[in-house]
Amino acid sequence: MNQYVLPLVDISKLASPRLEDRLSVARELDRACVEAGFLYITGAQMDESVFRRIVARAQAYFALDMDIKMKSYIGGSENHSGYVPVGEEQFAAGQCDLKEAFDVNCDYMRSEGRRPLLGPNLWPEMLGFRDDVLTYYQHVTGIGSQLFRAFALALGLAEDHFDAHLRNPPSQLRLIYYPFDASAEDRPGIGAHTDYECFTLLFATAPGLQIIDRHGRWIDVPLVEGTMIMNIGDMMEILSNGHYTATRHRVTKVKEERYSFALFHACDYDYVVAPVVRGEAPRYAPLKGGEHLFNQTAQTFAYLKRKIASGELVLNGALPLDSFGLSSGAAEPRRPFSAQQALSKQ
């Protein structure tokens, strides 16, 4: 399996007061997303101490006894948060990923406006866990807010286009633990998926990630110190009218324990996701963002599948899990959208 060198974008200037500085990052981001759909980001915004803290907390949490972790089982939560045991997730029938996870949402505490993914998180009774996890969540969400503004510029919109739609988004953080298993076998398709949201920011402690390139081949993605991995999700593919493509990816058999922390950035639950690029005929039908996210989630988690089977849960307009991105066959990179168009709209 070959390694794939992703584009690297330094996002430090997204914090600059100068529009031209921010536009320069938007141009680089646009080019990388068109060419690859996956990229590395680095920048002065990233606080290394926050990353060290979340790794230590995850190591301590996943080392707990199973009966303790199951007290926070995701199936008992109000907002799809909590502990995810091995075998809970299935992206295809009979294929389980060998991993544990703990899922955290935005911890929506108000009673009004509740949705399937908006509500109070289910937290374990572990001293310091909530504080450490929320610190990481808030830190990476702040970086994501700057990136939403960069995407607005890249797509020819006002820089603050997404601000009003990021008030209480169902953006989820996943703490994931992949144990070393010498008997594990890589199989085509196992765990392969696109992400459902706008984009993902991933920090991992060990390699193991693979993506499908534009020729339909699985390519290893190495870790690069001082960076996070970013990738396009289903919703940004729609918003960009296909200028960016959600890229199918998976984690393969790893040679060491692997911890990863993926924060999936979405707009508000009721935000209608539709192409926003001006002057183009829409290539995608609009969909309700939160509804799409929940529908796709319900098709992969065992406790939600049981509710569907019993009739307790009925999905409305759920799309197949492989509705977005490239899965096989060659595809030419699409032409980057010019961020200069954004400058003319300021």
Side-chain angles (χ1 to χ4, degrees):
M1 189 71 63
N2 296 323
Q3 287 194 339
Y4 184 67
V5 180
L6 302 177
L8 189 152
V9 176
D10 187 333
I11 64 169
S12 298
K13 289 183 179 180
L14 290 182
S16 169
R18 297 181 64 247
L19 174 60
E20 185 54 44
D21 286 344
R22 302 193 300 276
L23 275 167
S24 68
V25 179
R27 295 185 189 103
E28 291 186 50
L29 180 68
D30 177 72
R31 185 175 299 106
C33 290
V34 168
E35 292 175 353
F38 260 76
L39 60 146
Y40 300 107
I41 63 167
T42 187
Q45 296 93 329
M46 298 180 189
D47 186 340
E48 185 179 341
S49 67
V50 174
F51 292 85
R52 290 196 301 266
R53 187 172 162 188
I54 195 68
V55 171
R57 180 58 62 187
Q59 289 172 334
Y61 175 76
F62 288 113
L64 294 174
D65 291 340
M66 178 61 68
D67 59 340
I68 295 177
K69 290 182 287 190
M70 284 299 291
K71 290 180 180 178
S72 303
Y73 173 55
I74 195 167
S77 68
E78 293 184 33
N79 71 335
H80 187 69
S81 65
Y83 175 64
V84 182
V86 173
E88 177 70 25
E89 279 184 276
Q90 293 185 357
F91 288 99
Q95 295 184 345
C96 299
D97 283 353
L98 183 63
K99 68 183 181 189
E100 300 174 71
F102 195 96
D103 292 354
V104 175
N105 292 307
C106 69
D107 219 10
Y108 185 85
M109 302 304 292
R110 298 200 301 269
S111 58
E112 70 277 7
R114 292 280 177 85
R115 299 289 189 277
L117 299 172
L118 289 180
N121 281 319
L122 182 60
W123 295 103
E125 295 180 2
M126 182 184 196
L127 187 64
F129 184 92
R130 184 177 185 274
D131 290 343
D132 288 349
V133 172
L134 284 183
T135 295
Y136 184 87
Y137 187 98
Q138 291 159 2
H139 181 60
V140 180
T141 296
I143 295 171
S145 296
Q146 293 184 355
L147 287 164
F148 266 113
R149 286 184 153 236
F151 274 117
L153 291 174
L155 294 172
L157 306 170
E159 189 174 12
D160 63 355
H161 175 83
F162 292 108
D163 289 5
H165 309 297
L166 299 173
R167 303 193 187 282
N168 293 292
S171 299
Q172 186 176 73
L173 167 64
R174 307 205 73 197
L175 287 68
I176 308 174
Y177 171 52
Y178 298 87
F180 170 67
D181 181 0
S183 65
E185 294 181 1
D186 294 337
R187 286 177 286 168
I190 190 165
H193 62 286
T194 60
D195 292 339
Y196 315 135
E197 297 84 353
C198 294
F199 58 88
T200 304
L201 294 180
L202 173 73
F203 167 62
T205 64
L209 179 67
Q210 290 185 335
I211 67 172
I212 279 187
D213 71 5
R214 295 185 180 276
H215 301 286
R217 301 172 300 194
W218 283 108
I219 302 296
D220 290 326
V221 177
L223 295 185
V224 175
E225 187 175 355
T227 71
M228 299 185 79
I229 294 173
M230 177 179 177
N231 65 274
I232 294 300
D234 298 351
M235 295 181 192
M236 189 58 73
E237 181 175 325
I238 297 172
L239 289 166
S240 70
N241 205 28
H243 284 276
Y244 312 142
T245 304
T247 302
R248 196 168 302 279
H249 54 283
R250 67 180 184 180
V251 172
T252 62
K253 173 179 149 185
V254 294
K255 297 180 179 179
E256 57 189 294
E257 285 188 326
R258 182 178 189 267
Y259 296 88
S260 68
F261 308 88
L263 209 162
F264 305 91
H265 296 260
C267 294
D268 289 337
Y269 193 94
D270 294 322
Y271 177 70
V272 176
V273 181
V276 295
V277 179
R278 296 165 184 166
E280 293 185 1
R283 297 174 55 197
Y284 297 81
L287 54 77
K288 296 179 180 179
E291 186 176 89
H292 171 68
L293 177 53
F294 182 70
N295 284 346
Q296 305 308 83
T297 301
Q299 294 181 71
T300 58
F301 278 76
Y303 86 93
L304 291 170
K305 288 181 179 181
R306 290 192 293 268
K307 290 184 177 182
I308 295 172
S310 69
E312 180 183 352
L313 175 63
V314 177
L315 302 183
N316 179 31
L319 298 175
L321 293 176
D322 60 353
S323 296
F324 295 89
L326 301 173
S327 57
S328 62
E332 291 296 325
R334 295 178 174 85
R335 182 179 179 181
F337 187 86
S338 173
Q340 183 62 36
Q341 297 181 33
L343 185 58
S344 65
K345 294 179 173 63
Q346 301 303 310

